Amino acid sequence: MEIGIDSFAATGNLESALDAQGNMRAMEDLLARIEFADQVGLDVFGIGEHHRKEFLDSATAVILAAAAARTKRIRLTSAVSVLSAADPVRLFQNFATLDIISKGRAEMVVGRGSSVEAFPLFGFNLQEYDPLFEEKINLLLKIRDNVVVNWSGRFRAPLSNQAIYPRPVQEKIPVWLGVGGTPASFVRAGSMGLPLMVAIIGGDTERFRPLVDLYRRAGRDAGFAPEDLRVGLHSLGYVGETPENAVEDYYPGYAATFTKFGRERGWPPVTRAGFDAQIGPKGALLIGTPEVVAEKILRHSEALGGISRVTFQMDNAGLSHEQLLKSIELIGQKVKPLLN
């Protein structure tokens, strides 16, 4: 099982944007964490995409390229790229360039986007949320698989015998489809034979099993082999040396962050009782000691019929750079060996 970290390049300030010095410090700390994740043996590091003051991840490929120059082995991916609001040609070129810089370590996780600020920013209609993604994922895969492209659609200019460069080091850059809880998204990923990254940030993980089964059935019906139909799990998580340490470090910032974002999305405020349920045996949050977290990941894998990758999203709880480094160390040196 591959183990990794996902980051939204959080500034650590929920209320206002940082000044230039603060932004530089936050970005340098993030790059240091990616470098450290490589050193402790993690398999993948992902950077999300947002366009708001709390995060510095609006130019995902730029951050990953900076990380590529400082790392040797770890795979570097988006987590996720909001493909519906992007130009597939430019997105492919960015990640093909990243693949060259990283000597063949680039990946993409693409999705429709649960954070929708990219749509008005780039002039797209949110009412066309699904048609935009359907058209653009097909174009992205066509570009990935062919140097010369002929294509026409609704949302961008047609391509007529157009060569797309540069080409990546890898024959095909891995493209994962990032999904939440929409059945059609699971079917789409399966029918295209794309690996699936399931974001589960709340509730019981096992409730996603029917959707994962739907994905695998769609892939099988489309003629793809079981080994093509990989399933990854993206979860909120933090590993501490003791149970008390993990909870005391993570809960205050988690409660503040998700209460704030909850007000924007109509979610109820975070409560300690709700948090305790989420860190329980079936809850989605991966919080605890290395042994507890490894056991929970294996339980999640069994509940979902087998997963091949799990990524921890942990810079959403106001944790310090030092706390994040320590958790990355524990994941690499203790959790990963327990899983493999």
Side-chain angles (χ1 to χ4, degrees):
M1 187 186 299
E2 295 176 328
I3 311 298
I5 307 294
D6 288 334
S7 171
F8 296 163
T11 65
N13 192 326
L14 287 176
E15 303 305 327
S16 62
L18 298 182
D19 59 20
Q21 291 296 323
N23 282 339
M24 288 190 290
R25 185 169 55 252
M27 187 62 73
E28 177 57 32
D29 286 347
L30 172 59
L31 292 172
R33 292 195 293 273
I34 302 174
E35 187 174 9
F36 186 62
D38 186 44
Q39 292 168 0
V40 299
L42 295 189
D43 300 294
V44 61
F45 206 108
I47 301 292
E49 180 191 340
H50 298 81
H51 303 272
R52 49 187 298 158
K53 65 180 183 292
E54 302 95 340
F55 306 114
L56 299 174
D57 61 346
S58 62
T60 305
V62 176
I63 299 174
L64 293 173
R70 297 171 58 154
T71 56
K72 294 181 175 145
R73 191 192 59 83
I74 197 167
R75 297 191 68 78
L76 301 165
T77 184
S78 56
V80 303
S81 293
V82 184
L83 180 58
S84 300
D87 180 356
V89 175
R90 199 65 176 132
L91 186 67
F92 175 82
Q93 290 175 321
N94 286 342
F95 277 82
T97 303
L98 171 64
D99 204 49
I100 294 167
I101 295 169
S102 67
K103 300 180 175 63
R105 293 184 282 131
E107 299 190 5
M108 281 183 260
V109 181
V110 299
R112 296 183 300 177
S114 61
S115 297
V116 297
E117 68 272 2
F119 287 81
L121 180 63
F122 295 113
F124 293 101
N125 185 348
L126 194 55
Q127 300 305 312
E128 294 174 325
Y129 186 76
D130 198 62
L132 277 163
F133 185 79
E134 181 73 27
E135 178 173 299
K136 292 185 177 188
I137 185 62
N138 281 293
L139 176 55
L140 177 65
L141 296 177
K142 193 176 184 92
I143 295 167
R144 183 190 69 166
D145 298 344
N146 301 275
V147 176
V148 178
V149 175
N150 288 283
W151 176 91
S152 64
R154 290 176 53 197
F155 299 109
R156 81 171 317 279
L159 298 169
S160 178
N161 291 322
Q162 182 66 58
I164 310 295
Y165 296 109
R167 304 308 297 182
V169 173
Q170 299 174 87
E171 183 178 354
K172 290 186 179 183
I173 292 179
V175 175
W176 297 63
L177 205 153
V179 298
T182 306
S185 296
F186 287 78
V187 172
R188 177 188 285 130
S191 64
M192 291 181 164
L194 296 178
L196 184 77
M197 180 57 71
V198 189
I200 305 179
I201 62 172
D204 290 350
T205 298
E206 64 185 22
R207 68 192 166 93
F208 280 79
R209 177 60 183 266
L211 295 171
V212 173
D213 287 346
L214 198 61
Y215 160 73
R216 291 187 169 119
R217 185 161 57 250
R220 184 177 63 248
D221 291 348
F224 293 101
E227 57 268 25
D228 296 326
L229 303 172
R230 302 172 63 200
V231 176
L233 177 62
H234 162 99
S235 294
L236 306 181
Y238 178 71
V239 179
E241 294 183 288
T242 69
E244 296 78 14
N245 165 252
V247 171
E248 289 168 7
D249 285 352
Y250 190 81
Y251 176 71
Y254 165 83
T257 299
F258 281 87
T259 295
K260 172 183 166 57
F261 292 156
R263 285 196 297 268
E264 299 175 7
R265 299 192 181 193
W267 301 340
V270 173
T271 66
R272 182 54 189 267
F275 175 79
D276 288 343
Q278 288 298 297
I279 65 174
K282 293 185 177 182
L285 302 188
L286 299 174
I287 311 292
T289 63
E291 296 76 17
V292 167
V293 169
E295 182 181 352
K296 191 170 187 179
I297 291 170
L298 292 173
R299 192 160 49 244
H300 285 345
S301 180
E302 183 179 1
L304 296 176
I307 61 174
S308 60
R309 175 179 290 183
V310 61
T311 57
F312 291 73
Q313 214 295 331
M314 66 174 75
D315 67 352
N316 50 22
L319 295 160
S320 70
H321 177 56
E322 291 70 25
Q323 288 171 318
L324 292 168
L325 285 174
K326 184 61 180 178
S327 187
I328 290 170
E329 180 181 20
L330 291 170
I331 293 168
Q333 296 186 352
K334 295 193 174 181
V335 175
K336 185 178 177 181
L338 289 170
L339 294 176
N340 297 292

